[in-house]
Amino acid sequence: MNASPPDRQKNGRSRDRNINLLKYYGIGAAKAEARRPLDIDSDTFEPNKYFARLVKEKPLNGLVKRDNELVTEIREIDGDMKTLVYENYSKFISATDTIRKMKSNVESMESEMANLNDNMSGISQQCTEITEALGPNRDKIRRLTNVHNLLKRLQFIFDLPTRLNRCLSAGQYAQAVKYYSRATRLLNHYQHLSAFKGIERDCDIIMGKIKAKIWEEARNPETSLDKVAVSMKLLRVLQEDPRNLWKEYLEVQVARLDKISTQQFDTIGDLDTKCLVPLDSTVEYFESLFLVASPNEDDLDKVNSLDEEDIRDAKNDLVRAITPHIDRFFDKVSGFITLPDTMDRTQLLAQIRILSDLGESLSSHAKALARVMGIAERMGQLTARWEGTLIDGLMGTTVEKMKERLSRLDDFDLDSLQGITDHRDALGEYIVDTDAWLVQHIQSSCIEPLQDLITAATAVAGDNQPQFSLRARESLQKMWTSLLDIIADTKGSQRSSSGLVIGSRLCYDLAEQGVPQIYSSFSKVLNNNEDDMDRVISTDAQEIIDQFTRKGQSLLDEEAMQEGYALSAAVQKEYLGTHRSMEDPERVSAVWQTMFDRIRYIEQLMEAVYPQPTSPDGAAETSDTEYEYRFGGPGDGLYTRPTQSSHSLTTASSETPGEPTGLGIMPKFGYDMTVNMMSNIDKLFADRIDIYRHVEPTPLGVCTGVLRILLKTFHETVRQMRLKQCDYQQLQVDSEYLRLMLWPYTQKDNKWMSNMLQEIVSSAYMRCESPTPLDSEQLEGILAKYVPT
């Protein structure tokens, strides 16, 4: 750690003081150094030069200040020298006292050490005398003790048949096995002696009877589990085949567990004591007998250890025998925690208590099942399924009720302009109410029960349940996805324009307000002041918001394309069909009147679903430009062509002063090649128009998207036609009609629209056999019947 500035200053002064004191006392060799006559701390310091420099460089007040500093430093050095002398004097006095004490102590220690040496010599001499006196008797005692022990063991062998008969009569089979296991090694060692052969034969006969009794007790279904385990342990000591032993053990215990599984359990406590505890005891005894060695057994060395293959086979047999009973146990547990169709808070809390009690039982009464059978993992899976089912059930109510609410759209007649006019207010209220209802329902029917559930689970289990939070997040995401599918009607084969537009509006509303509100409440329930959880929830919310925003946009794009394709098909049928009139045009083609009826329908539908901002007097706000385009500005006639951009080369080169102009009006000398050339040059420098780009969520945006597709189709259709004069003149009428009628819908793309219509007329002129255009009077006479004044 770096020293603070005051500490560094103090350390520097201490070093300077020590150096000065060393010099004062002449301690240490002086190092060779360069001459520094102006350094006051140097050995080569020259006071005259130093004083001359000070007088030359410093004013009077500076000299006074330096003099005060030198006086202060001198006083400090004097004080340090006095302190050092005092400290050294004190140390000298203390050292003198210490040396005096050490001298007196050493003198007394010498006499004490001499006495101790004399005592140790006496003790060593006495020990030697005792050892020499008792040495012969010690060897004799050792030999007699060995003989005595051998006689005792021989006496035990001679008495063994009697002992075993006594144990057989008294039913003390464990004591008999203990006696026999102690004598087995000795009998094997002296089996070549005839006396011992008879004893061994008698013992084998008696142990055969005892072994039969032990087997009988082990196979008896009425024998308690503890006694069965003791019998199996005795048979293991008697070197019985371990495979037969564990198969017999499992057969007897499975039969016992089968009887238990047929019983009915009214409470989770009964299930614990009558089913779980016997199951765990069965596994625990099997584990101690065949899977691991018990360090507490006195006769452990008499039991042959199983090799790895036998242990693996034993465990596999145990798993096969016990797994069905574990499955039945969890089936019974599932019966206690089956979720009702109607979520009731009291029932949910009761089931949480059951799960908590069961978890405590498993941790205290099923340790062997957890070690060998992995029952703790099974319990975790059961809890996870229960929580998942509960959360999905809560979230699923939102999906089902949303289906019912969306089905009410069938009550609105939105397939016609009149239907939209009649139900405009009701439709707006329906959308607003649906947004508010969805948020309120999720908060009250989903998030608040989850909060109660987490609070109760924490109070019961004392755990924040991070896995529960994860499942709740996943279920909430699944609910949003289902809602998105329902709103977008992704499984429907035919989707109406009203369904697409209303679905888009709902998606945008949820992305803007609904989803943030829900996740804000959800975060308060789950995060518990944890920043990591809050960040995760924020990430989830942003993903869902992005999904709803993209879906809202895609529904509007689909509406524009669906309408555009339908109207495009009608245009192709109109111009490419065989029913075209061979007479001079007298009217606008019927397909365009139908098209504008549909455009007005789309516009009204969008205005009903996406209401535009209104002015203070309640009227919809309309820009000055849009107003002039729709109703005409000062000095504008019905057929006056709107002024084009100054960047349009076509306009500048193709219009002749004094001549009537318009898309359908050609120069009086016929088709001018300059017009086509300048139009092509204009297209080179024009911005690329994406026909299928995203449409804006406004009436004008959707209508413009439909018209972009329609005009592109019209252009491609004309390129496929073989035109006669009447066809060319009809296209002239239709193009001028479109120019006048489309202007309100193509404000942002007006230059592109003008160029596209100009290309359509130019393309028709190039493909016509005898392109004679209509004059302006004929054209105005026809259009006056269809263009509103």
Side-chain angles (χ1 to χ4, degrees):
M1 181 180 296
N2 294 331
S4 60
D7 293 336
R8 287 197 297 268
Q9 186 176 2
K10 182 178 181 181
N11 293 334
R13 289 200 303 268
S14 299
R15 285 195 297 270
D16 295 340
R17 181 193 64 188
N18 294 336
I19 293 173
N20 294 331
L21 291 175
L22 288 173
K23 292 179 179 179
Y24 178 81
Y25 285 103
I27 301 173
K31 296 182 180 179
E33 59 181 4
R35 290 182 59 80
R36 292 181 294 173
L38 299 180
D39 186 359
I40 196 171
D41 296 325
S42 174
D43 293 337
T44 60
F45 174 69
E46 296 182 11
N48 294 331
K49 290 184 179 181
Y50 182 78
F51 178 74
R53 180 181 178 184
L54 286 179
V55 172
K56 181 179 180 180
E57 293 181 354
K58 293 184 178 293
L60 179 61
N61 57 351
L63 293 174
V64 173
K65 181 179 179 181
R66 182 57 181 159
D67 178 67
N68 294 334
E69 291 176 355
L70 290 175
V71 171
T72 302
E73 292 177 1
I74 292 170
R75 290 175 180 175
E76 289 180 355
I77 293 175
D78 290 341
D80 292 340
M81 290 174 62
K82 293 178 181 179
T83 301
L84 184 60
V85 170
Y86 175 76
E87 291 177 354
N88 289 339
Y89 181 75
S90 299
K91 291 178 182 179
F92 290 152
I93 295 175
S94 177
T96 302
D97 294 340
T98 302
I99 293 172
R100 186 183 300 109
K101 292 179 182 179
M102 289 177 61
K103 183 177 180 181
S104 60
N105 292 335
V106 168
E107 292 176 355
S108 62
M109 286 176 60
E110 290 179 354
S111 59
E112 291 178 0
M113 289 297 294
N115 294 333
L116 181 61
N117 189 25
D118 295 340
N119 293 334
M120 291 297 297
S121 299
I123 292 172
S124 298
Q125 184 177 359
Q126 291 178 2
C127 288
T128 302
E129 294 175 356
I130 293 172
T131 300
E132 291 176 353
L134 298 179
N137 294 331
R138 184 184 296 109
D139 294 338
K140 186 183 295 183
I141 292 172
R142 184 182 298 110
R143 288 193 298 270
L144 291 175
T145 301
N146 292 336
V147 171
H148 177 73
N149 291 335
L150 180 60
L151 291 175
K152 283 180 63 177
R153 281 183 285 182
L154 291 176
Q155 184 64 38
F156 179 79
I157 294 297
F158 290 134
D159 295 341
L160 184 59
T162 304
R163 291 173 181 269
L164 294 179
N165 277 321
R166 192 181 304 118
C167 292
L168 177 61
S169 301
Q172 298 175 347
Y173 307 129
Q175 188 66 34
V177 172
K178 185 177 181 180
Y179 288 154
Y180 183 73
S181 62
R182 287 175 56 187
T184 299
R185 186 180 300 174
L186 195 58
L187 288 174
N188 292 334
H189 182 72
Y190 293 105
Q191 63 181 352
H192 60 283
L193 300 177
S194 59
F196 286 93
K197 285 184 179 179
I199 294 174
E200 184 178 9
R201 183 175 56 254
D202 295 340
C203 290
D204 290 341
I205 294 173
I206 298 171
M207 287 307 301
K209 297 178 181 179
I210 292 175
K211 188 183 296 183
K213 291 290 185 180
I214 294 175
W215 270 112
E216 181 181 353
E217 191 173 71
R219 291 168 176 165
N220 186 0
E222 302 299 328
T223 306
S224 64
L225 181 59
D226 295 340
K227 291 183 178 180
V228 172
V230 172
S231 299
M232 288 294 169
K233 191 179 298 182
L234 295 177
L235 292 173
R236 287 276 285 132
V237 175
L238 294 174
Q239 310 298 323
E240 286 293 293
D241 183 12
R243 289 183 176 270
N244 292 335
L245 286 177
W246 80 56
K247 291 182 183 298
E248 288 286 345
Y249 176 85
L250 290 176
E251 182 179 352
V252 172
Q253 298 310 314
V254 166
R256 186 193 309 275
L257 293 174
D258 287 339
K259 292 182 180 179
I260 294 175
S261 62
T262 59
Q263 301 177 10
Q264 297 295 328
F265 304 100
D266 298 330
T267 63
I268 198 69
D270 292 341
L271 185 64
D272 176 25
T273 57
K274 297 180 181 179
C275 182
L276 181 62
V277 172
L279 195 59
D280 183 73
S281 299
T282 301
V283 175
E284 184 178 11
Y285 283 126
F286 187 93
E287 182 185 22
S288 63
L289 289 170
F290 305 106
L291 300 183
V292 295
S294 175
N296 297 324
E297 293 297 330
D298 296 336
D299 50 2
L300 178 62
D301 56 340
K302 306 298 190 303
V303 180
N304 293 332
S305 300
L306 299 181
D307 56 24
E308 293 182 359
E309 182 179 359
D310 288 339
I311 292 176
R312 183 171 59 254
D313 293 342
K315 186 173 182 179
N316 291 336
D317 289 344
L318 174 66
V319 171
R320 282 193 294 269
I322 299 300
T323 298
H325 294 277
I326 294 179
D327 295 339
R328 295 173 192 170
F329 169 77
F330 279 106
D331 290 341
K332 294 181 182 298
V333 171
S334 300
F336 286 99
I337 59 173
T338 301
L339 290 170
D341 295 334
T342 303
M343 299 294 178
D344 181 75
R345 186 175 184 275
T346 303
Q347 293 177 331
L348 293 179
L349 294 179
Q351 293 189 6
I352 293 173
R353 171 63 67 178
I354 290 174
L355 288 173
S356 175
D357 294 343
L358 184 59
E360 294 177 358
S361 299
L362 290 177
S363 61
S364 58
H365 301 155
K367 296 180 179 179
L369 287 171
R371 290 193 303 270
V372 181
M373 303 299 296
I375 195 173
E377 288 76 8
R378 287 283 301 271
M379 183 62 195
Q381 295 171 3
L382 175 67
T383 304
R385 287 196 301 271
W386 181 84
E387 291 177 349
T389 303
L390 170 62
I391 298 171
D392 291 342
L394 292 174
M395 300 299 178
T397 58
T398 303
V399 178
E400 295 300 325
K401 291 184 179 297
M402 189 65 179
K403 287 181 181 179
E404 297 176 2
R405 196 168 187 88
L406 289 177
S407 64
R408 300 179 190 175
L409 283 175
D410 297 336
D411 299 337
F412 299 100
D413 181 15
L414 302 177
D415 295 332
S416 62
L417 282 171
Q418 186 61 42
I420 295 175
T421 302
D422 295 340
H423 298 92
R424 180 187 294 268
D425 295 338
L427 180 60
E429 293 177 359
Y430 168 82
I431 294 174
V432 174
D433 291 345
T434 299
D435 293 338
W437 166 84
L438 182 60
V439 173
Q440 191 275 335
H441 176 79
I442 295 176
Q443 289 180 339
S444 61
S445 301
C446 301
I447 295 180
E448 290 180 4
L450 284 180
Q451 185 175 13
D452 293 341
L453 187 62
I454 292 176
T455 303
T458 303
V460 172
D463 185 20
N464 290 330
Q465 297 185 336
Q467 294 299 321
F468 181 87
S469 300
L470 176 61
R471 284 188 283 272
R473 287 177 45 230
E474 293 175 348
S475 183
L476 185 59
Q477 289 177 324
K478 189 188 302 182
M479 181 204 71
W480 287 122
T481 302
S482 299
L483 286 177
L484 196 62
D485 293 339
I486 293 172
I487 293 173
D489 192 18
T490 55
K491 298 181 179 179
S493 57
Q494 290 291 337
R495 288 188 279 186
S496 63
S497 295
S498 60
L500 292 171
V501 174
I502 295 172
S504 172
R505 166 67 187 278
L506 291 176
C507 288
Y508 276 123
D509 288 349
L510 288 175
E512 183 178 355
Q513 296 181 353
V515 175
Q517 290 181 19
I518 294 302
Y519 271 102
S520 177
S521 301
F522 190 68
S523 176
K524 295 176 182 177
V525 172
L526 294 185
N527 65 5
N528 292 323
N529 296 323
E530 296 180 5
D531 294 338
D532 293 340
M533 178 61 70
D534 190 56
R535 284 193 294 269
V536 169
I537 293 176
S538 298
T539 302
D540 293 346
Q542 189 58 51
E543 290 178 358
I544 298 301
I545 290 173
D546 292 342
Q547 290 180 18
F548 273 87
T549 302
R550 288 193 299 268
K551 180 57 69 174
Q553 182 64 64
S554 68
L555 290 176
L556 284 182
D557 294 341
E558 183 177 352
E559 162 64 7
M561 287 189 289
Q562 179 174 287
E563 294 289 348
Y565 292 158
L567 295 175
S568 296
V571 169
Q572 290 177 332
K573 182 179 179 181
E574 176 72 20
Y575 289 99
L576 299 180
T578 57
H579 60 281
R580 291 191 310 217
S581 174
M582 297 294 104
E583 300 177 356
D584 294 338
E586 297 179 353
R587 60 183 178 85
V588 176
S589 297
V591 67
W592 298 115
Q593 301 176 50
T594 303
M595 181 271 293
F596 277 110
D597 289 340
R598 189 63 183 177
I599 291 296
R600 281 190 288 270
Y601 166 79
I602 297 171
E603 183 180 19
Q604 292 297 317
L605 177 61
M606 285 295 298
E607 289 179 354
V609 177
Y610 284 89
Q612 300 303 297
T614 57
S615 60
D617 58 359
E621 293 183 354
T622 306
S623 65
D624 296 339
T625 305
E626 181 180 357
Y627 184 88
E628 293 177 3
Y629 286 156
R630 287 178 180 269
F631 306 106
D636 290 338
L638 178 61
Y639 306 115
T640 303
R641 182 175 181 177
T643 304
Q644 292 185 337
S645 170
S646 60
H647 298 287
S648 174
L649 297 177
T650 304
T651 302
S653 61
S654 60
E655 293 184 3
T656 303
E659 292 292 336
T661 58
L663 291 175
I665 306 299
M666 291 292 109
K668 65 179 181 178
F669 295 108
Y671 179 74
D672 187 357
M673 291 296 294
T674 305
V675 174
N676 189 38
M677 180 184 69
M678 298 306 294
S679 178
N680 291 334
I681 294 175
D682 198 27
K683 286 190 293 183
L684 291 176
F685 295 96
D687 294 335
R688 180 181 177 273
I689 299 297
D690 186 2
I691 302 298
Y692 299 104
R693 68 174 182 264
H694 292 319
V695 300
E696 298 178 1
T698 61
L700 184 61
V702 176
C703 292
T704 302
V706 175
L707 292 174
R708 280 198 302 267
I709 299 173
L710 191 59
L711 286 178
K712 185 63 177 177
T713 302
F714 188 23
H715 180 239
E716 296 299 328
T717 301
V718 171
R719 294 176 61 182
Q720 301 177 41
M721 297 174 62
R722 294 180 61 87
L723 301 175
K724 298 181 180 180
Q725 178 175 329
C726 59
D727 297 326
Y728 169 68
Q729 292 178 350
Q730 184 65 58
L731 287 172
Q732 187 181 1
V733 172
D734 293 343
S735 298
E736 187 67 14
Y737 175 75
L738 290 176
R739 183 185 72 86
L740 296 172
M741 297 296 293
L742 290 183
W743 200 263
Y745 302 103
T746 57
Q747 296 178 29
K748 294 183 179 180
D749 296 332
N750 54 58
K751 183 177 180 181
W752 176 85
M753 183 268 295
S754 299
N755 289 339
M756 181 63 71
L757 292 175
Q758 182 67 58
E759 286 186 27
I760 291 172
V761 176
S762 300
S763 178
Y765 186 91
M766 294 291 293
R767 287 168 173 76
C768 183
E769 298 174 355
S770 54
T772 303
L774 295 173
D775 57 29
S776 60
E777 293 182 359
Q778 291 176 308
L779 190 59
E780 290 181 2
I782 296 173
L783 294 176
K785 304 175 184 179
Y786 300 97
V787 177
T789 60

